[in-house]
Amino acid sequence: MDKKNALRAGAVTAGTTLMMLLMTSPALALTRDDGDDPGPGLSIGETLGLYVALPIVIFLVIVGLVMALDKSGKPQKKQA
């Protein structure tokens, strides 16, 4: 019975994927749309800074704030 369910799930997944691929149209990136006004491209340094360095810096700031504001490691005073 378990094999039958797995086969059914695989068939549904494959069918859904195939239908999605068949129904999608190409991106047509070379065709301009009305109102399309692209700006200048990014340099390699700007791209690495924006998509690599900035997320790492934001992650480190969040980690630093969590570690600085964490109070679970300190022993609690027992009230008598």
Side-chain angles (χ1 to χ4, degrees), residues 23-24 29 35-36 40 43-44 49 52 55 64:
M23 294 179 72
T24 56
D36 191 14
S43 69
I44 294 175
V52 176

Side-chain angles (χ1 to χ4, degrees), residues 7-79:
L7 184 62
R8 182 178 298 146
V12 168
T13 304
T16 304
T17 304
L18 182 63
M19 289 304 293
M20 287 176 62
L21 286 173
L22 290 174
M23 294 179 72
T24 56
S25 61
L28 300 172
L30 297 177
T31 305
R32 292 295 180 115
D33 292 330
D34 292 337
D36 191 14
D37 188 21
L42 297 175
S43 69
I44 294 175
E46 290 171 332
T47 303
L48 289 176
L50 185 62
Y51 295 110
V52 176
L54 187 63
I56 290 173
V57 169
I58 291 171
F59 175 77
L60 291 176
V61 167
I62 292 171
V63 167
L65 287 172
V66 168
M67 289 176 64
L69 300 174
D70 184 26
K71 306 215 190 275
S72 64
K74 297 177 183 174
Q76 304 249 339
K77 293 182 179 178
K78 294 184 180 179
Q79 294 180 352

